[in-house]
Structures are given as structure tokens and as C-alpha cells.
């Protein structure tokens, strides 16, 4: 007869809870079959039978057991034993780690959880509760959920700072109109700033680096992501190796990205690899925007439309681990000079 003993699952735990038996008492089980769920202080673990034969419960669901304690036997049907009952009377329902994670995610109250009426709350119980009591409000789209995850990750991992510089965009807008006629491609602030930012890569390589815990990975070329939201969700397609591209090539690529944004039909390569992001806020009279720094990049530039006249406040959000305020000011001063000198 084989014995199913509880392994040491967590070095800090002295006992575990038998949440439930996955195979009933007396069932024929295989060696690899999961037969019981055990709760540690961190997670719920499924334990395999470890031998083939008839499973006999030594303890019941809800029992507490110590590491190396026998909780079942596997052998012939005649080797039956009577399960030992261990219960936590009068206690709050015990919630498994996966169940608690889902409770926190859904914002369920303790009263709702107690209303389940079970001694041990598993994830399946919480899913049943959520189905019976759906949260009020609207369901976020897949794109909105992706944006929410990116925003949360950025706020959690990137110590960002912000600096804005007022620029006279009059010369740049005149230049854009002239170049639009010349190259027969639409040229606007997006194209102007992508080219201007890319032109600063050699002087400010750290602004295009990928931050790590102990080091930064430098990039040998500027890959500029540009935010596009045309009503079907936010996308950040990339102008790869933007410094090596002409303004006409940048305009053509951005037009292709805008068309893809209307349908969401991007190629994977279009949306990956950005090491600097230009965020566009050129509609609705926006005069100031503070973008988030996308995880994996060091900077995000906010481009706004000129307000009354041609001045506009162009801002840079930057990862303060890599870039200090003085360097950010030097970068923005160089960008201002580059844009205002366009003729």
C-alpha cells in the first residue's frame, strides 16, 4: 500500500489546509492523477496520487495537516480507512489565493463572499458569484484593457519627471505646408517632430535607451513610436530607423499606419521596437499634455497644437533614473532650435 504524504510546499509554513479532494474516496486513480488540492499560505497546490490503485482518504476536506503527514493511501479496495474529520468551526470561510486574487480584482465585499455559504472559497466559487452579481458599469474593450495595463505598469515601474518648453511652431507649419505640396504626401506636426527627434539621437543617445534595473541598453538607431487613436483604440506604430528616412518616407509610413489604425490591421513589426514615443495631442485645443513613459523606453514627447497664434507648449516626460532635469532641458532646447529653424 502506498501513502500520499503532504510534501513541504513552503519553507515558512508548518501546516496546510486540505481544500478539497479531486478524486472521491475509493476511486481508482493513476500515479500522475491530481487527487487533492492543498492550500499553503501563498497558493493552492494540486497533489498527484503518486501511485496507482484505489484512493482512500485519511483526512477529509477542511482538515489541517503538517508536512509529511499521511492524508491518503493508494492500494487495493479492501484497504479502506475511515476519513478523519478536521474542521474549523465558527471560522470565517477560508479563501484560496487564486480566489482572493479574483475577489480583489472584482472588488467583491466580504459580505458577498460569506454569502456563498461555503467553508472554503475557491476561484470557481468567486466566478459563480461574479456571474450572479455582475459589477455595475460598462465593460472595457480589449484595447482599453491593454491601455489600462500599460498605464498601470508605467506608474508602478517608471519614476517619471516632466518638462515643457514653449516653441514657436509657425515656421514649422509653413514648412509642413510647403513640403506637403512638394512631396505629395501629408506633412504635419507628427512628421515634423518624428524627424526632429530622430535627428537628436546621435547627440542624446540615452534618451533612446532601454532602462533596466542595473544598466541601460543603448540603441544604435532611433525607432520612433507615434500614438494614433482614430476611434478604434490607441495604437503606437513605429517608424523604424527614423533618422535614415527622408521626410517623404516618414510621411508615407505614417499615412500607412493611420490607415491601419482605422481597421486595427497592423503587422506585428509595425507595433514593436519603439525606443522613443511621440504622443500627439493636436486636436480639441489641447495646450498641455503630460504623457506616460511607456515601459521599456526612457522618454515620451507630448506634441500639442498651437493655441492663440503659433506658440505651443511641447513637453517631455522622462525616466528620472536615466535622465536628469538638466539633460532634459538640453534635449528640449535642441529640439526647439531644430523645429523653429525649419524653412
Amino acid at each position: 500500500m502506498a501513502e500520499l504524504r503532504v510534501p513541504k510546499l513552503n519553507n515558512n509554513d508548518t501546516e496546510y489546509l486540505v481544500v478539497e479532494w479531486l478524486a472521491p474516496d475509493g476511486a481508482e486513480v493513476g500515479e500522475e492523477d491530481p487527487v487533492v488540492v492543498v492550500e499553503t499560505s501563498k497558493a493552492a497546490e494540486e497533489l498527484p496520487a503518486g501511485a496507482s490503485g484505489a484512493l482512500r482518504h485519511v483526512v477529509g476536506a477542511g482538515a489541517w495537516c503538517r508536512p509529511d503527514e499521511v492524508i491518503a493511501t493508494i492500494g487495493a479496495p479492501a484497504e479502506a480507512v475511515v476519513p478523519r474529520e478536521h474542521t474549523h468551526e465558527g471560522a470565517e470561510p477560508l479563501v484560496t489565493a487564486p480566489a482572493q486574487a479574483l475577489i480583489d480584482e472584482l472588488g467583491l465585499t466580504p459580505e458577498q463572499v460569506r454569502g456563498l455559504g461555503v467553508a472554503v472559497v475557491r476561484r470557481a466559487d468567486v466566478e459563480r458569484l461574479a456571474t450572479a452579481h455582475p459589477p455595475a458599469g460598462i465593460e472595457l474593450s480589449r484595447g482599453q484593457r491593454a491601455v489600462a495595463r500599460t498605464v498601470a505598469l508605467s506608474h508602478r515601474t517608471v519614476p517619471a519627471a516632466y518638462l515643457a518648453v514653449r516653441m514657436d511652431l509657425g515656421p514649422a507649419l509653413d514648412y509642413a505646408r510647403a513640403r506637403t505640396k512638394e512631396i505629395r504626401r501629408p506633412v504635419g506636426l507628427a512628421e515634423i517632430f518624428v524627424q526632429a527627434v530622430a535627428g537628436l539621437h546621435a547627440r542624446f543617445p540615452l534618451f533612446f535607451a532601454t532602462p533596466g534595473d542595473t544598466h541601460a541598453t543603448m540603441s544604435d538607431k532611433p525607432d520612433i513610436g507615434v500614438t494614433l487613436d482614430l476611434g478604434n483604440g490607441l495604437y503606437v506604430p513605429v517608424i523604424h530607423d527614423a533618422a535614415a528616412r527622408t521626410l517623404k518616407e516618414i510621411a508615407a509610413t505614417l499615412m500607412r499606419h493611420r490607415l491601419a489604425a482605422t481597421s486595427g490591421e497592423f503587422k506585428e513589426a509595425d507595433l514593436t521596437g519603439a525606443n522613443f514615443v511621440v504622443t500627439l495631442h493636436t486636436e480639441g485645443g489641447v495646450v498641455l499634455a503630460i504623457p506616460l513613459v511607456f515601459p521599456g523606453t526612457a522618454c515620451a514627447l507630448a506634441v500639442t497644437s498651437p493655441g492663440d497664434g503659433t506658440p505651443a507648449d511641447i513637453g517631455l516626460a522622462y525616466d528620472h533614473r536615466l535622465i536628469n532635469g538638466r539633460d532634459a532641458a538640453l534635449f528640449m532646447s535642441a529640439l526647439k532650435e531644430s523645429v523653429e529653424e525649419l524653412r
Side-chain angles (χ1 to χ4, degrees):
M1 179 182 67
E3 296 177 333
L4 174 57
R5 295 176 179 270
V6 180
K8 185 72 171 178
L9 298 168
N10 187 334
N11 289 335
N12 297 324
D13 290 345
T14 58
E15 62 179 1
Y16 308 118
L17 174 71
V18 177
V19 177
E20 70 171 337
W21 286 98
L22 303 177
D25 185 63
E28 290 290 328
V29 296
E31 182 178 355
E32 303 296 330
D33 293 342
V35 295
V36 64
V37 177
V38 177
E39 173 83 5
T40 75
S41 62
K42 295 183 177 179
E45 299 278 350
E46 293 184 352
L47 302 183
S52 298
L55 176 74
R56 293 297 184 184
H57 301 171
V58 174
V59 301
W64 289 88
C65 54
R66 296 180 176 279
D68 200 40
E69 184 175 338
V70 177
I71 59 173
T73 61
I74 299 96
E79 296 171 337
V81 295
V82 178
R84 191 173 78 234
E85 295 297 335
H86 295 217
T87 57
H88 256 354
E89 294 182 358
E92 287 285 309
L94 190 139
V95 183
T96 66
Q100 187 61 57
L102 185 57
I103 290 170
D104 294 340
E105 179 182 337
L106 298 175
L108 298 175
T109 66
E111 289 74 19
Q112 289 175 306
V113 176
R114 281 195 292 271
L116 284 165
V118 297
V120 179
V121 179
R122 301 185 62 217
R123 185 179 178 89
D125 299 316
V126 181
E127 291 173 343
R128 175 162 51 86
L129 179 62
T131 301
H133 303 281
I138 60 173
E139 182 179 357
L140 297 180
S141 68
R142 182 178 177 183
Q144 288 172 311
R145 292 196 295 270
V147 170
R149 288 193 295 273
T150 300
V151 172
L153 180 61
S154 176
H155 287 318
R156 189 169 65 248
T157 60
V158 181
Y162 186 74
L163 180 149
V165 170
R166 181 154 298 179
M167 300 184 187
D168 180 3
L169 298 185
L173 293 173
D174 291 340
Y175 175 80
R177 284 189 284 269
R179 294 292 284 160
T180 296
K181 293 180 181 178
E182 179 183 343
I183 65 178
R184 297 180 181 275
R185 297 287 189 283
V187 176
L189 292 177
E191 289 78 7
I192 293 293
F193 275 95
V194 166
Q195 188 177 51
V197 167
L200 298 177
H201 170 254
R203 292 174 57 188
F204 299 91
L206 205 55
F207 287 66
F208 301 82
T210 299
D213 291 336
T214 59
H215 66 283
T217 302
M218 309 303 287
S219 174
D220 59 359
K221 54 185 174 59
D223 298 320
I224 313 296
V226 181
T227 59
L228 295 178
D229 187 350
L230 302 182
N232 290 325
L234 177 66
Y235 298 98
V236 190
V238 183
I239 311 292
H240 292 283
D241 200 5
R245 294 173 179 265
T246 65
L247 188 62
K248 181 177 181 179
E249 290 172 332
I250 292 172
T253 303
L254 273 177
M255 177 53 66
R256 179 169 61 81
H257 287 333
R258 291 188 184 97
L259 293 174
T262 62
S263 61
E265 296 178 350
F266 281 103
K267 297 178 181 177
E268 181 70 18
D270 292 335
L271 300 173
T272 57
N275 51 36
F276 193 108
V277 176
V278 173
T279 67
L280 303 176
H281 310 271
T282 53
E283 295 182 353
V286 177
V287 297
L288 176 65
I290 302 177
L292 62 90
V293 179
F294 285 70
T297 66
C299 298
L301 184 78
V303 176
T304 59
S305 293
D308 184 12
T310 58
D313 293 325
I314 308 300
L316 180 75
Y318 54 94
D319 189 329
H320 222 323
R321 293 172 297 181
L322 290 186
I323 300 166
N324 60 38
R326 179 177 180 276
D327 290 333
L330 291 175
F331 178 90
M332 292 300 287
S333 177
L335 182 64
K336 170 183 170 72
E337 182 179 357
S338 176
V339 171
E340 291 186 344
E341 288 185 348
L342 286 172
R343 293 291 187 276

